[in-house]
Amino acid sequence: MRHHNSNRKLGLKRKGRTALMKTMAVSLIRDEKIVTTEAKAKELRPYIEKIISKSKTDNIAARRLVASRIGQNRAVTKLFKDIGVRYETRKGGYTRITRLARRMGDGSKMAQIELV
């Protein structure tokens, strides 16, 4: 039975999934827009939105928690200086997922996730 197991496994083991989420979050923070598969974008959305919500309050505890989640110092500083300030009055919904055409090679559903 799959009770309370709502996250997608994406064909990866746990460490691979966490590494994937970290790198995708860093790429989204750095570029503010990435193209990936639809399933990965839907998994990234709650992960990055919790991080952005935490970055709206700039204190040492929030910085340490965000740094442990994404693990890159330049991304953390951009998150707290630029992105957290930008969404200070917004209560949620920091990302937008736009569906794109299917990928040519294997026909998988593609999507673009961007910061609003």
Side-chain angles (χ1 to χ4, degrees):
M1 289 184 283
R2 292 199 42 163
H3 301 309
H4 294 287
N5 293 332
S6 61
N7 57 345
R8 295 169 181 85
K9 293 191 177 179
L10 302 173
L12 298 168
K13 297 196 181 211
R14 187 163 131 201
K15 288 184 179 180
R17 276 194 308 274
T18 57
L20 177 73
M21 286 297 121
K22 280 184 178 187
T23 56
M24 286 177 62
V26 167
S27 297
L28 184 62
I29 291 166
R30 186 185 62 226
D31 302 332
E32 298 189 6
K33 180 191 311 185
I34 58 172
V35 175
T36 183
T37 62
E38 190 175 322
K40 288 178 185 174
K42 286 182 178 180
E43 279 299 305
L44 181 63
R45 173 181 256 169
Y47 186 82
I48 196 71
E49 291 209 359
K50 289 173 189 170
I51 289 173
I52 292 173
S53 294
K54 192 55 90 168
S55 73
K56 292 197 296 188
T57 60
D58 191 6
N59 56 19
I60 192 72
R63 278 186 180 267
R64 285 179 178 166
L65 189 120
V66 169
S68 72
R69 295 282 197 276
I70 62 175
Q72 215 179 59
N73 289 335
R74 275 190 274 163
V76 171
T77 56
K78 180 177 180 183
L79 192 63
F80 278 92
K81 286 189 178 180
D82 300 336
I83 298 171
V85 174
R86 186 187 328 165
Y87 297 125
E88 203 163 17
T89 59
R90 194 176 180 111
K91 294 193 178 191
Y94 312 114
T95 58
R96 175 187 302 134
I97 295 177
T98 309
R99 290 180 177 87
L100 303 173
R102 289 182 175 255
R103 189 162 47 198
M104 218 37 184
D106 59 353
S108 64
K109 297 177 182 178
M110 297 300 287
Q112 173 181 337
I113 184 167
E114 61 184 332
L115 296 176
V116 177

